[in-house]
Amino acid sequence: MTAGTVDERVADTGRLRRMLIRPELGAVVGAIVVFAFFASQSATFRSVDGVANWLDPASTLGIMAVAVALLMIGGEFNLSAGVLTGTTGLILVTLATRFGWNVWAAMLAGLAVALLVGFLNGLIVVRTRLPSFIVTLGTFLMLQGINLGVTKALTGTVQVSGLRRADGFESARAVLADSVTIGGTGFRVAILWWIAVTVLATWVLMRTRAGNWIFAVGGDDRAARAVGVPAERTKILLFMTTAGAAWLVGSILALRFTSVQANAGLGQEFIYIIAAVIGGCLLTGGYGSAVGAAIGAVIFGMADKGIVFAGWDADWFKFFLGAMLLLATLANRLVRRYAEEVRH
Amino acid sequence: MSEDAPLLVMRGIVKEFPGVRALDGVDLEVRAGEVHCLLGQNGAGKSTLIKILAGAQLPDKGTITLGGAQVRAANPTAAIRLGISTIYQELDLVDGLSAADNIFLGHEKASLGFTRRAESNRAARELLDRLGHGEIRPGGEVGRLSPAGKQVVSMARALSHDARLIIMDEPSAALSHDEVGNLFRIIRELTAQGVAVVYISHRLEEIREIGDRVTVLKDGRTAAVGLPAKDTPTSQIVSLMTGRNVEYVFPPRRTEPPGAEVLKVTDLVVPGVVSGVSFSVRAGEIVGLAGLVGSGRSEIVEAIYGARRASGRILLDGHAVRPGSTSRAVRLGMGLAPEERKAQALLLDQSVARNITLGGLERFSRFGWIDRRRELAEARTLAETLDIRPGDVRRPIKTLSGGNQQKAVLARWLVNGRKLLLLDEPTRGVDVGARAELYAVIRRLADEGIGVLLVSSEVPEVLGLADRVLVIREGAVVHEAAARDLDEHQVLDLVMATSTGGFR
């Protein structure tokens, strides 16, 4: 090294620049563009009723996307999260209808199973050092098999139903699956849960030790361990967090529809990851935000319902989603590159 | 604890890695409030010893006593709890976190799990100010700091633990002259408070200035314990570092004069690293570049190979090498055995044969099909010529020892005749016993008329193997001589002296 290293230190980037290089910028811009687009196509879309309508799919997806985003910032994936929403829903309905459990007790049982699955996912990942992609792909397929096998063995069909008649249904529904009327429009309670989860996750990420550890184990696992971050515990808890979120969403949907298909949640796992990535999470970990993932879910909800409101063929939804993913990630990358250039 | 009882005592530390005994019974004694310098050539075992102290590795044998009690640092957290902080040479900061978050990572200022951000920012501010770097914002992302800035954050992290012992692995390497002065001021403050510092540096004059006592390591053993840092003669230190138990066996040099000029480098400049280097390599000649890590020697090799942007003129057999085009360098007849052999030169899961023929597959292929039989036959011949063992070339190359892997890398360049071979640390990770064979292979290649440019941190290797030696320091050639006219002391003197005036 030559003497007299150039004195390049933290560049004071200025408030505006610092705001611009937030991870969720791409998602915010994307959400505005998508909203403006559909709002111009359909008057219903921009009405209060319309907003309540597209916030509904955004909410259940958003709860999962936020949890998955935390896990991705911690450097891991969870492909079993989607199917797990089905598993917890099936447990709830089966215990309540076939075995006469109180709905609340059945939900607790679902939570216990979900947390156990999350714990095992995490334990296998940190102990074997196998990529979480593979480990959770394994649990994903196993859960899918259990969901179908057990449901068929118990009912002879591929769904369980009749939750409405179970004890405690009304109170559970009121808490998780009802609507609240605000200014004459009914909003799903799930939206409140989604907001609560996003606020909590943001708080954890930005204001707690655990948040620091999540960024650290995802950003540089070796460095984190070297300074004494409990990396294994952090990762296991992150897997359990996604499992807990899957239980919440599974219960909400089961209470809403009072029946669950054996293949519920299947195919959702990638949607969660997509929302998190649109929200600024890097696949490599160590970077991202919970708010971004929540906004990613909003984009998804707007596209899901917006296509219907605009009177188009809903078959085009996936195309739209794919284009959105590519554009938002490109925007995020530009932002990151810009942020890195600021340093020089 | 009484005043003169040592704070840290390490006795008979042994650490083995597959094929290498990195530490072979090392002793170390550090007193509270002293700066204890650890000296030794590359590969002497300094890094391994530090890793054991820091809890990153467990010793196979030996005892560690800290403050009178025997301890066992099974992991980094345990070492930190014991009061041992380490500032590594390769910085281990998390780029995405702020400076304050990095400083307090793992021991955050928190109540009930919530970080007290204002408080940790203030504490970070104090630490950075104390280090004389008030301009680093505690809230700024560490990824945007310069290497020197990161070094300061690392240092602040070590200070943030109430450490009894701080290990500093070449802390001055990334710092400018003023910043080194600052570092020394901090070290003096720490030792005045009774903290012990283990200081590792290649710069002898720094050791004279800041050190109290010196322990010299050599070939994984302690060559001297607790010499006074200020007045032990340089010659004694250097001979402790160089006197060896293991004698290298070098092949005889060729007697006839070398052939025509193969490589001619004129005014090579790599901005910030290499400043105007000129030299040449002739056919059949081995030219050695001696210098410390960071002296610019690897950059010179990379520039010649076209892997690094540089200005100046590089001619291979009269043809200009285009900077930034390694494929042109290869077409002109260059071959490189890079320093990071496993990462940059080998397909670890592939067979030895495939690794050898990789550079010249077009010779065995017709219409896109590879003639396996001819490929194998050629690989076998080369493996036999270079005595690669085991001789079955269908084995995956990762099952071979370091020395035999390196032979396979050399064999690759023989598949389609090279004019110049660039060897960057060819014996890194190669057993001492296997080195002699590798030296013989390199000499034989030269005897066949190939020009060889050799880079090595091990001075005896350069002196023993090369015909001519260029000593590189701070990006410039400071001395050039026939290898037989130099000795290890002279070269070590030359590479370790600094531009600020040497240490005599």
Side-chain angles (χ1 to χ4, degrees), chain B residues 108-375:
Chain B
E108 287 82 359
K109 295 203 173 294
S111 43
L112 301 171
F114 294 110
T115 43
R116 285 177 294 190
R117 182 141 308 209
E119 190 185 325
S120 76
N121 276 346
R122 195 169 56 244
R125 164 92 293 138
E126 266 167 35
L127 287 168
L128 292 167
D129 279 344
R130 190 171 149 205
L131 289 165
H133 283 272
E135 82 290 346
I136 295 178
R137 285 192 303 115
E141 226 177 86
V142 154
R144 289 186 223 165
L145 291 172
S146 68
K150 287 184 178 178
Q151 174 85 54
V152 172
V153 175
S154 262
M155 191 91 67
R157 178 155 79 196
L159 296 183
S160 73
H161 300 281
D162 287 321
R164 289 192 277 176
L165 176 72
I166 299 185
I167 304 160
M168 301 186 180
D169 189 2
E170 299 224 32
S172 58
L175 302 181
S176 72
H177 189 71
D178 288 355
E179 289 170 320
V180 172
N182 221 339
L183 170 70
F184 285 179
R185 182 179 55 76
I186 303 293
I187 292 178
R188 290 198 183 98
E189 271 178 41
L190 288 170
T191 50
Q193 294 159 12
V195 175
V197 173
V198 173
Y199 191 89
I200 291 142
S201 174
H202 279 294
R203 299 180 185 167
L204 262 184
E205 93 279 8
E206 283 181 13
I207 286 163
R208 296 270 190 234
E209 189 182 339
I210 193 73
D212 295 307
R213 295 191 304 154
V214 176
T215 289
V216 182
L217 293 187
K218 181 191 62 188
D219 296 335
R221 298 205 176 137
T222 314
V225 182
L227 301 171
K230 304 272 189 282
D231 42 18
T232 305
T234 300
S235 61
Q236 190 187 341
I237 292 180
V238 169
S239 70
L240 283 166
M241 285 166 66
T242 55
R244 343 199 121 243
N245 305 325
V246 192
E247 274 308 317
Y248 289 118
V249 183
F250 293 103
R253 296 197 173 84
R254 63 192 259 149
T255 42
E256 68 254 48
E261 209 168 69
V262 181
L263 173 76
K264 185 164 180 56
V265 176
T266 319
D267 289 330
L268 180 72
V269 175
V270 178
V273 194
V274 178
S275 44
V277 165
S278 303
F279 64 95
S280 63
V281 179
R282 311 179 85 86
E285 186 187 32
I286 303 178
V287 174
L289 296 182
L292 297 174
V293 175
S295 62
R297 36 160 232 223
S298 292
E299 287 80 1
I300 293 174
V301 169
E302 287 166 18
I304 293 172
Y305 196 61
R308 185 179 270 275
R309 299 237 165 252
S311 61
R313 235 174 128 63
I314 301 164
L315 294 178
L316 187 74
D317 243 3
H319 302 282
V321 176
R322 210 178 318 135
S325 168
T326 52
S327 61
R328 169 139 174 110
V330 171
R331 260 201 319 279
L332 286 175
M334 269 192 224
L336 170 72
E339 184 177 356
E340 297 292 327
R341 184 169 57 236
K342 285 186 180 154
Q344 296 174 0
L346 295 175
L347 304 175
L348 283 172
D349 291 312
Q350 299 266 6
S351 68
V352 176
R354 177 47 59 85
N355 271 283
I356 290 177
T357 56
L358 197 65
L361 275 184
E362 66 278 359
R363 287 192 42 202
F364 315 110
S365 57
R366 202 179 299 162
F367 310 120
W369 294 92
I370 294 169
D371 184 344
R372 297 266 169 221
R373 206 169 301 163
R374 277 215 303 140
E375 184 192 355

Side-chain angles (χ1 to χ4, degrees), chain A residues 55-74:
Chain A
L55 276 182
D56 176 28
S59 65
T60 44
L61 168 67
I63 292 170
M64 289 310 295
V66 166
V68 165
L70 291 189
L71 181 68
M72 284 177 68
I73 295 170

Side-chain angles (χ1 to χ4, degrees), chain B residues 55-121:
Chain B
Q57 269 161 7
L58 273 176
D60 298 330
K61 274 186 208 145
T63 58
I64 305 173
T65 318
L66 190 71
Q70 189 162 332
V71 295
R72 184 170 176 279
N75 55 55
T77 319
I80 291 167
R81 285 220 187 92
L82 290 169
I84 301 173
S85 276
T86 312
I87 303 167
Y88 287 102
Q89 201 179 346
E90 321 92 53
L91 301 161
D92 48 358
L93 299 172
V94 180
D95 278 351
L97 289 178
S98 73
D101 285 344
N102 262 293
I103 290 170
F104 295 107
L105 188 60
H107 64 126
E108 287 82 359
K109 295 203 173 294
S111 43
L112 301 171
F114 294 110
T115 43
R116 285 177 294 190
R117 182 141 308 209
E119 190 185 325
S120 76
N121 276 346

Side-chain angles (χ1 to χ4, degrees), chain A residues 90-177:
Chain A
L90 288 167
I91 290 172
L92 163 57
V93 179
T94 307
L95 288 179
T97 59
R98 301 262 144 189
F99 299 92
W101 287 39
N102 183 288
V103 168
W104 289 99
M107 273 171 58
L108 270 185
L111 177 62
V113 171
L115 291 180
L116 181 69
V117 171
F119 176 76
L120 289 177
N121 270 334
L123 191 71
I124 295 171
V125 168
V126 299
R127 283 291 142 80
T128 63
R129 307 258 169 132
L130 284 173
S132 51
F133 196 90
I134 296 298
V135 171
T136 57
L137 185 61
T139 43
F140 160 67
L141 294 169
M142 286 161 69
L143 285 175
Q144 194 188 339
I146 291 175
N147 285 0
L148 192 60
V150 173
T151 308
K152 266 190 152 169
L154 286 177
T155 68
T157 66
V158 290
Q159 71 162 3
V160 285
S161 53
L163 188 61
R164 193 177 299 280
R165 292 183 302 274
D167 288 342
F169 171 76
E170 286 307 325
S171 59
R173 199 179 77 97
V175 175
L176 290 176

Side-chain angles (χ1 to χ4, degrees), chain A residues 2-24:
Chain A
T2 45
T5 312
V6 187
D7 192 4
E8 34 165 333
R9 286 152 183 168
V10 185
D12 192 10
T13 47
R15 202 168 285 274
L16 179 70
R17 271 186 170 179
R18 251 177 284 150
M19 222 169 67
L20 282 177
I21 58 179
R22 294 285 313 153
E24 51 276 76

